[in-house]
Amino acid sequence: MLKLSTKGRYGVRLMFDLALHNGQGPVSLRDIATRQSISEKYLWHLIPPLRDAGLIRSSRGVRGGYVLAHPPSQISLKDILDVLEGRICLVDCVANPSLCPRSRDCIPKDIWRDVSQTISRTFDSFTLEKMIEKQRSVQEAINYAI
Amino acid sequence: MLKLSTKGRYGVRLMFDLALHNGQGPVSLRDIATRQSISEKYLWHLIPPLRDAGLIRSSRGVRGGYVLAHPPSQISLKDILDVLEGRICLVDCVANPSLCPRSRDCIPKDIWRDVSQTISRTFDSFTLEKMIEKQRSVQEAINYAI
DNA sequence: CACCATTCCTACTATTCTAGTGGGAATTAT
DNA sequence: ATAATTCCCACTAGAATAGTAGGAATGGTG
């Protein structure tokens, strides 16, 4: 049905939360869970892949937590979703033509490949930095209204 | 995982097959199933929604079958997928903000909405006509090679 | 009129995927 | 020493997906 899974959605919110607190020291998962209203237990599932992919860094023990491994301008939604949902590929035969004997001259496959690339590029055009900017302009609008 | 479901994939191949035989009278589901190597039983699931949405027309009895309800230039992948997979909407809160108390000022939601629209427009830009043209140019390339 | 290809419908099943929970070990600042 | 925190494995319930079974209704053709 072409839905993003909870993993991807929550993962982006997790990373966005880290981006909003970038430069303020490690952020604990509990804080993120509370702010984002997401079960801490569930959020934990997202950590190992994000860490192993080098998107976040962790420090253990008291006052430990997570920080972005790169500036928000250098982390795109594509980076996050590639890790949590796998690389965008609308149908498997695009990445793995041997799955289907028709793939050699399959027009639909070519289309799925093109659209997959478009989606990928779209996700890549949204960085955490852009999200922060949007957040700020929303805040200003609210303050102005008050 | 952002995959197209079998319903959508097979549905496009079904419609593409109809497009390739457009103007040659009704095409039976059995013929399509044979040519596309898809179970006739499974293909049947796709017919009622496509028919009810006015994308194909059917005739029953001997020599019955299906035809496109519109010229291939006027049927896009979006039309087909909207019917078989539901309208593209990466996360439910985009179409239905009341699902989440945060939705009012949720930046991620705005992003999902924008990307959903981009994907939708991309699908809309591919018509059955375009697919036929691609098919023809592939055929010519093969003939030339021989 | 009888036949048979074909559309059409309901229901069922097996499998995989998704979302979420539980319990507890290892680490480290204070 | 304590407490906060990361870290890990395993489990479960429910939903979605893919596919199958059996047969009723329709209508052109001989």
Side-chain angles (χ1 to χ4, degrees):
Chain A
M1 227 185 147
L2 219 54
K3 285 265 180 273
L4 221 57
S5 77
T6 306
K7 238 174 152 177
R9 277 186 295 127
Y10 287 3
V12 167
R13 280 167 64 188
L14 187 163
M15 293 292 283
F16 182 42
D17 193 284
L18 285 183
L20 288 173
H21 297 82
N22 199 31
Q24 303 172 18
V27 180
S28 79
L29 211 52
R30 168 157 308 175
D31 288 350
I32 300 175
T34 305
R35 274 194 295 263
Q36 299 291 327
S37 320
I38 303 176
S39 135
E40 191 185 340
K41 275 292 185 189
Y42 191 84
L43 274 186
W44 163 251
H45 287 311
L46 315 181
I47 294 293
L50 290 172
R51 186 194 48 210
D52 296 349
L55 293 180
I56 60 177
R57 274 198 295 265
S58 60
S59 43
R60 305 184 67 169
V62 175
R63 300 213 161 248
Y66 304 94
V67 295
L68 294 181
H70 309 287
S73 61
Q74 285 174 40
I75 301 178
S76 74
L77 295 196
K78 175 176 186 301
D79 298 326
I80 301 169
L81 295 174
D82 275 359
V83 165
L84 295 176
E85 307 244 359
R87 291 192 60 185
I88 306 289
C89 173
L90 287 182
V91 313
D92 289 331
C93 62
V94 168
N96 205 345
S98 65
L99 286 177
C100 175
R102 304 173 153 267
S103 62
R104 229 181 77 89
D105 303 318
C106 178
I107 303 299
K109 190 209 63 184
D110 292 345
I111 307 269
W112 304 139
R113 186 199 53 215
D114 292 354
V115 179
S116 300
Q117 282 176 1
T118 301
I119 297 175
S120 232
R121 273 196 283 265
T122 307
F123 278 134
D124 209 32
S125 72
F126 286 100
T127 64
L128 291 177
E129 173 105 70
K130 275 200 183 175
M131 293 180 71
I132 295 173
E133 285 165 14
K134 278 205 176 201
Q135 175 81 298
R136 291 223 179 93
S137 64
V138 165
Q139 277 306 331
E140 278 165 24
I142 292 174
N143 293 340
Y144 184 77
I146 298 171
Chain B
M1 230 185 145
L2 219 54
K3 286 264 179 270
L4 220 59
S5 77
T6 307
K7 239 173 151 179
R9 277 186 293 128
Y10 287 4
V12 168
R13 280 167 65 188
L14 187 163
M15 293 292 282
F16 182 43
D17 193 283
L18 286 183
L20 288 173
H21 296 83
N22 199 31
Q24 302 172 19
V27 180
S28 80
L29 211 53
R30 167 156 310 176
D31 286 351
I32 300 175
T34 305
R35 275 195 294 263
Q36 299 292 327
S37 320
I38 303 175
S39 135
E40 191 185 340
K41 277 293 185 188
Y42 191 85
L43 274 185
W44 164 250
H45 287 313
L46 315 181
I47 294 294
L50 290 172
R51 186 194 47 208
D52 296 349
L55 293 180
I56 60 177
R57 274 199 295 265
S58 61
S59 43
R60 306 184 66 168
V62 175
R63 299 214 161 250
Y66 304 94
V67 295
L68 294 181
H70 309 286
S73 61
Q74 285 175 38
I75 300 178
S76 74
L77 295 196
K78 175 175 187 303
D79 298 326
I80 301 168
L81 295 174
D82 275 0
V83 165
L84 295 176
E85 308 244 357
R87 291 192 59 187
I88 306 287
C89 172
L90 286 183
V91 314
D92 289 331
C93 61
V94 167
N96 205 345
S98 65
L99 286 177
C100 175
R102 305 172 152 267
S103 62
R104 229 182 77 88
D105 303 317
C106 178
I107 303 299
K109 189 209 63 183
D110 292 345
I111 307 269
W112 303 140
R113 186 199 53 217
D114 292 354
V115 179
S116 300
Q117 282 176 2
T118 301
I119 298 175
S120 233
R121 274 195 283 264
T122 306
F123 278 135
D124 210 31
S125 72
F126 285 100
T127 64
L128 291 177
E129 173 105 71
K130 274 200 184 177
M131 294 180 70
I132 294 174
E133 284 165 14
K134 277 206 176 200
Q135 176 82 298
R136 291 224 179 92
S137 65
V138 165
Q139 276 306 331
E140 277 165 23
I142 292 174
N143 293 339
Y144 184 76
I146 297 170

